[in-house]
Amino acid sequence: MNDNERKFRISFNSPVILGFTILCFITLLLNWLTKGITNNLFFSVYHSSLSNPLTYIRFFGHVLGHANWSHFIGNIMFILIVGPLLEEKYGSADILFVILATALVTGIANYVFFPQYRVLGASGVVFALILLSSLTSFKDGTIPLTFILVSILYIGGEVYSALFVTDNVSNFSHIVGGLVGAGLGFIGNSKGK
């Protein structure tokens, strides 16, 4: 086959990241079709009874829910930029673990520390992946300068926003997500990944 006859095909190059993106999009559509009912029932975390089984689903499901199209696009763009590179380096199972661990930790943290708020969205996952990406060149005994800079810029910016900016953003989820990504990055890289 010569160069003129070469055919291109689309590859499903990052199954976890693409699957997560598709689930978030389906969740966004369901939220729109149900006028917010599905986000309230399954895809946002808030203080509800621990005897309600949906409370435990929400600990994970809140990362799939988004308030609107711009919220979805803002999170998914970062995930689609950083996620495939990380999935290639660490593998699909590890990236799925990062997403699930971030969902659980941010869900429980918001449930415990901010019971008066309803939180949803993948921004904790975004921050976990950003901090994890800055550790891709981590070697024992060294801390990459990129990790220090990213930590200062992203986490420091979130701490500043939490203290001095009044908006509808869960800076706490961003900070906790970043800490989960950094922690898992240090653990994963110290094992030689």
Side-chain angles (χ1 to χ4, degrees), residues 51-156:
S51 64
N52 181 348
L54 292 179
T55 299
Y56 302 96
I57 291 171
R58 291 182 201 113
F59 285 155
F60 292 97
H62 71 98
V63 296
L64 299 175
H66 289 85
N68 52 43
W69 181 252
S70 63
H71 185 211
F72 168 80
I73 290 295
N75 284 329
I76 294 303
M77 287 301 292
F78 275 108
I79 289 170
L80 287 173
I81 291 168
V82 177
L85 301 170
L86 293 172
E87 192 168 344
E88 183 178 322
K89 176 176 175 46
Y90 294 105
S92 296
D94 285 348
I95 294 304
L96 179 59
F97 181 78
V98 168
I99 292 170
L100 293 174
T102 302
L104 182 62
V105 172
T106 58
I108 291 172
N110 279 292
Y111 179 90
V112 170
F113 295 112
F114 296 98
Q116 69 275 27
Y117 295 108
R118 183 173 71 100
V119 177
L120 72 160
S123 56
V125 173
V126 169
F127 274 74
L129 295 178
I130 288 170
L131 269 286
L132 180 62
S133 72
S134 67
L135 289 168
T136 56
S137 63
F138 174 80
K139 293 173 185 57
D140 282 334
T142 65
I143 297 175
L145 181 57
T146 54
F147 172 74
I148 294 168
L149 293 173
V150 167
S151 297
I152 291 168
L153 293 173
Y154 275 94
I155 301 299

Side-chain angles (χ1 to χ4, degrees), residues 164-179:
F164 301 110
V165 178
T166 304
D167 57 17
N168 213 11
V169 175
S170 177
N171 306 99
F172 185 69
S173 289
H174 298 173
I175 294 166
V176 172
L179 294 174

